[in-house]
Amino acid sequence: MIQYTIRRILLAIPVVFAILVVTFTLARAIPGDPCKAILGEKATAATCERFTREFGLDEPVWKQFVLYLQKIGQGDFGESIRFGRPVLTILLERLPTTIELGMSAMFLAVIVGIPAGILSAVRRNSWIDVTTMIGANIGVSLPVFFLGLLLIYLFAVILKDTPFALPPSGRLSPGVVPIPFYEVYNLTAEAGSNRLLFYDFLAKHYIFNAFITFDWVVFWDASRHLILPAIALSTIPLSILARMTRSSMLEVLGLDYMRTARAKGLPERTVIVRHALRNALLPVVTVAGLQLAAILGGAVLTETIFGLAGVGLSVYEAITSRDFPIIQGFVIVIALIYVTFNLLVDLSYAVLDPRIRLN
Amino acid sequence: MANVVELPAERTLQEESPSLWRITFRRLMRQRSALFGLSILSVLVIIAAFAPMIAPYDPTEVLIGKEDVKKRSAPCIHMLGCPEEQPQHLMGTDGNVRDVFSRIVFGARISLQIGMIVVFIAATSGIVLGSIAGYAGGWIDNLIMRLMDIVLAFPFFLLAIALVFVLGPSLNNAMLAIAVISMPTYARVVRSTVLSIREMDYVEASRALGATDRDILFKRILPNAMPPLIVLATLGIATAILDTAALSFLGLGAQEPMAEWGTMLGRERNQIFSAPHLVLIPGIMISITVLAFNLLGDGLRDALDPRLVHNK
């Protein structure tokens, strides 16, 4: 297992390197004067000169790349044109919203999609199967941005003033103020220190923060605000997981050892759960990992529609204000998150299935 | 017996291939969902083909001052009791006082074109790269396939955003970005078919008979890659329409005043509270179109040979 882990990590290094090469190339591919392209049209000659020196734009390309790697290695992703603040700071402020949204969506997709797929396979051709598969087909065809607006229309316009109404935008209702856990528990940290930054990063996960401080008002309010966006974002992964689980289960259910298990007189439940599901879930785990791509990409659309100040909304704002450093920095970090997540999925897969690591 | 022996290899192949398609077609016709998808598509194709005849207005015509109609007015259908003195707009008007129905009709043209063009670019370049990789082997194979892996290492929609951001927002660039990102899948399928077919005895036999590499590629290998490619392409059209519409929604794809469904929805998204028809109609159209291609693609997959495609 250790050998497999090391090999798998080594395999991820060229991927990370490639991601950095691509994002480096993107910056150079913007047509026109690179300084104006990156700092915006309003950049003066003086700032441009400083910029050229800082990024070594007058040096050979390989030196520029080395400089670029050094900066990223130090966590320096440049400054946002629009906000004039370091990209990393903005990213750390915005990431918690996206993490909570993405995790809720992934959670929904897994706890609804997988059981629906199992049920469809076990009761093949029943009305449950037919409805689930029709639902899954519609689910993969609904654009995230349309579904989001549809949910807003349903829960904030039609069901307004009923107990089912849900907030159409934002992360918290006006007047609801989360108290960071480090204040509740009197954890001290110097202003500007890395520890405070880390505490703050954790505390910005409002649902998590409210949970560990037992602040149920904030917990409920923050959760309510995430319901609609999480549903919108989870629909495509959910449908794909349901279809994948169904076909994987059907394949396993047709194998000889299933007949053996039944012939031994095992109860149907044990046969399904212990013998079929355990084997059928292996490919599903990989697919679930790949669905993170759909969630990270869909977050741009979902956060834009629901006005959630996460990484996705930043990307949208950066598009409209042509804020290249934000796009570049965020794409790097999100791609790294994606690669890491799939590395973990691969490793967990190897834990579940010895055949993988021994091959 | 004598007949069979005398038949040249070429003819047997040609006689076999139409029957595969006929079997596929017959199997496809037996699937209700695929038929449903196919009928939606037929309607959409007819709408797209006869758009100028169906649409009562020019899709970009601003009606202000030409008619007594306000901006973002609700649908007015005379048959359903809308007063005769009001001009008829089956789907209302949008924020620039244009006829939404005409824009939707012309939008069918744009969306179908987007799907076809994106898949055409992605599939042809994927096929070329995949064949080269599979055929050449060695470092060329490694180089091409690692490049494809890099594309797949990114969350696809974000890479599309970054690409269009750099190239500049426009429908053409959005389509190009989506095509680049979907290319690796085609390349992989073609490469693996090349690798598995290349070693077959009948390919060896053709080579012994003097067939060139090109003959072998076009007559022996690509026909074998066709079934999975057709399924991928059909499902690919669905994804292409969906993702291009999403880029347009973000303002990175089709630009005003083009009657593209994603742009139409994106421009009016804040009207969900006051004029919901401006959001619902384009949204439903995108969903139906994507659904139709997905149903057809799934049907084709089952009809062609379920074992050939291990996708999704």
Side-chain angles (χ1 to χ4, degrees):
Chain A
M1 188 64 208
I2 292 172
Q3 213 184 349
Y4 177 79
T5 312
I6 293 170
R7 205 172 59 215
R8 193 58 193 73
I9 291 173
L10 287 179
L11 277 175
I13 291 173
V15 177
V16 171
F17 187 73
I19 287 172
L20 294 172
V21 172
V22 170
T23 44
F24 173 80
T25 319
L26 280 180
R28 269 67 191 171
I30 303 179
D33 177 12
C35 166
K36 289 257 164 71
I38 291 173
L39 290 186
E41 286 302 318
K42 283 176 229 150
T44 61
T47 40
C48 265
E49 201 189 317
R50 199 170 44 119
F51 177 81
T52 307
R53 219 176 321 114
E54 196 187 333
F55 287 86
L57 290 180
D58 42 2
E59 307 262 4
V61 174
W62 68 269
K63 267 194 180 169
Q64 292 181 29
F65 186 64
V66 172
L67 202 66
Y68 171 79
L69 288 186
Q70 278 173 352
K71 278 180 179 289
I72 287 175
Q74 294 158 358
D76 177 4
F77 293 93
E79 271 189 9
S80 155
I81 298 166
R82 184 153 163 255
F83 300 104
R85 294 166 58 212
V87 171
L88 190 66
T89 315
I90 300 175
L91 185 74
L92 288 178
E93 281 170 13
R94 299 254 173 146
L95 207 48
T97 304
T98 308
I99 291 177
E100 286 201 327
L101 172 65
M103 279 172 59
S104 321
M106 194 58 121
F107 178 72
L108 261 182
V110 168
I111 61 152
V112 181
I114 292 181
I118 297 171
L119 216 59
S120 291
V122 175
R123 305 235 184 285
R124 196 182 181 180
N125 293 332
S126 70
W127 66 268
I128 300 179
D129 183 23
V130 174
T131 335
T132 311
M133 284 307 113
I134 291 177
N137 260 321
I138 296 176
V140 288
S141 307
L142 278 178
V144 176
F145 51 93
F146 175 53
L147 181 63
L149 290 165
L150 206 61
L151 289 170
I152 292 179
Y153 185 61
L154 208 67
F155 286 92
V157 179
I158 295 184
L159 294 176
K160 201 182 174 191
D161 305 321
T162 69
F164 301 106
L166 284 167
S169 71
R171 259 198 101 188
L172 291 169
S173 303
V176 177
V177 185
I179 304 160
F181 69 92
Y182 53 87
E183 283 178 19
V184 175
Y185 295 116
N186 286 323
L187 297 170
T188 44
E190 284 165 51
S193 66
N194 280 339
R195 173 178 294 211
L196 186 69
L197 264 172
F198 179 64
Y199 281 168
D200 216 42
F201 178 73
L202 286 183
K204 285 220 167 66
H205 296 76
Y206 290 155
I207 298 180
F208 166 75
N209 183 68
F211 184 76
I212 60 168
T213 55
F214 310 107
D215 188 345
W216 303 122
V217 177
V218 175
F219 183 81
W220 173 236
D221 193 64
S223 307
R224 260 169 55 93
H225 277 80
L226 275 191
I227 295 176
L228 295 184
I231 293 177
L233 190 52
S234 72
T235 308
I236 289 180
L238 192 158
S239 311
I240 292 176
L241 278 184
R243 279 159 64 151
M244 185 69 208
T245 312
R246 177 179 180 269
S247 64
S248 176
M249 272 297 272
L250 284 177
E251 211 167 287
V252 174
L253 286 173
L255 294 179
D256 285 346
Y257 65 79
M258 293 304 298
R259 203 182 44 207
T260 312
R262 288 208 177 92
K264 281 199 302 189
L266 291 177
E268 189 64 19
R269 244 185 75 102
T270 320
V271 174
I272 300 288
V273 177
R274 295 274 295 275
H275 292 245
L277 190 58
R278 274 190 69 167
N279 289 296
L281 275 187
L282 287 168
V284 176
V285 173
T286 310
V287 173
L290 294 175
Q291 291 315 307
L292 187 71
I295 285 184
L296 290 171
V300 179
L301 299 161
T302 316
E303 290 176 7
T304 304
I305 289 161
F306 289 96
L308 292 168
V311 171
L313 186 62
S314 303
V315 169
Y316 174 71
E317 289 167 350
I319 292 170
T320 39
S321 56
R322 295 218 49 89
D323 196 341
F324 183 74
I326 291 265
I327 300 265
Q328 188 184 34
F330 282 25
V331 167
I332 295 173
V333 173
I334 294 174
L336 292 182
I337 292 175
Y338 180 58
V339 170
T340 317
F341 189 82
N342 276 302
L343 177 70
L344 294 177
V345 168
D346 272 9
L347 293 180
S348 69
Y349 199 95
V351 172
L352 292 173
D353 188 353
R355 280 171 302 183
I356 307 266
R357 58 177 186 266
L358 294 176
N359 245 322
Chain B
M1 277 300 277
N3 252 347
V4 178
V5 176
E6 277 166 28
L7 273 177
E10 272 321 307
R11 259 187 76 191
T12 344
L13 253 183
Q14 275 171 8
E15 273 174 10
E16 263 171 33
S17 48
S19 80
L20 169 73
W21 300 120
R22 209 175 302 146
I23 293 169
T24 308
F25 186 71
R26 218 176 293 147
R27 282 198 209 138
L28 193 66
M29 287 301 120
R30 254 182 268 142
Q31 297 180 50
R32 252 180 298 167
S33 59
L35 270 183
F36 182 64
L38 208 56
S39 29
I40 297 175
L41 283 183
S42 321
V43 175
L44 283 170
V45 168
I46 292 170
I47 293 177
F50 298 102
M53 281 170 241
I54 299 170
Y57 295 88
D58 181 287
T60 54
E61 187 186 5
V62 176
L63 297 172
I64 209 156
K66 295 181 186 155
E67 263 183 20
D68 182 24
V69 63
K70 288 197 195 81
K71 74 173 181 183
R72 299 202 181 101
S73 60
C76 166
I77 305 168
H78 288 160
M79 271 172 65
L80 297 179
C82 176
E84 285 287 334
E85 58 272 18
Q86 259 186 49
Q88 170 161 285
H89 290 285
L90 296 179
M91 295 176 177
T93 56
D94 69 2
N96 288 321
V97 202
R98 291 173 298 207
D99 181 52
V100 174
F101 179 66
S102 306
R103 291 178 70 71
I104 290 287
V105 167
F106 275 89
R109 247 184 199 192
I110 297 173
S111 283
L112 292 181
Q113 279 173 356
I114 290 172
M116 309 276 190
I117 296 173
V118 168
V119 167
F120 180 77
I121 300 174
T124 37
S125 44
I127 289 171
V128 170
L129 289 174
S131 326
I132 295 176
Y135 234 89
W139 67 269
I140 300 178
D141 179 21
N142 248 317
L143 178 77
I144 293 178
M145 293 327 282
R146 290 301 80 76
L147 280 175
M148 299 290 112
D149 286 349
I150 292 174
V151 175
L152 293 174
F154 286 90
F156 52 90
F157 192 61
L158 275 167
L159 185 58
I161 289 178
L163 282 176
V164 186
F165 186 92
V166 166
L167 296 171
S170 79
L171 181 55
N172 284 345
N173 288 342
M175 283 161 56
L176 188 67
I178 304 288
V180 168
I181 290 160
S182 27
M183 183 174 64
T185 328
Y186 299 94
R188 282 185 166 186
V189 168
V190 172
R191 175 178 174 272
S192 68
T193 321
V194 173
L195 289 182
S196 63
I197 304 287
R198 197 173 56 172
E199 307 302 328
M200 295 267 177
D201 287 343
Y202 70 87
V203 174
E204 200 57 40
S206 324
R207 197 168 281 135
L209 287 172
T212 59
D213 276 354
R214 227 188 75 196
D215 287 340
I216 290 173
L217 182 65
F218 282 102
K219 293 189 180 149
R220 301 286 176 265
I221 293 176
L222 284 184
N224 277 293
M226 267 342 247
L229 281 178
I230 287 172
V231 175
L232 271 183
T234 316
L235 296 172
I237 294 179
T239 325
I241 294 176
L242 200 65
D243 289 342
T244 315
L247 285 176
S248 296
F249 175 85
L250 292 175
L252 285 171
Q255 304 292 320
E256 277 285 320
M258 192 184 256
E260 198 272 339
W261 295 337
T263 310
M264 287 166 69
L265 205 161
R267 295 287 297 214
E268 305 283 359
R269 69 184 167 91
N270 292 328
Q271 309 310 323
I272 185 77
F273 301 102
S274 52
H277 66 279
L278 293 178
V279 170
L280 298 181
I281 298 170
I284 290 170
M285 291 309 291
I286 300 172
S287 313
I288 289 180
T289 313
V290 174
L291 178 69
F293 279 109
N294 275 333
L295 290 177
L296 183 64
D298 282 346
L300 280 170
R301 186 208 320 254
D302 293 346
L304 278 165
D305 185 345
R307 281 165 305 176
L308 284 173
V309 186
H310 298 285
N311 181 271
K312 277 187 188 173

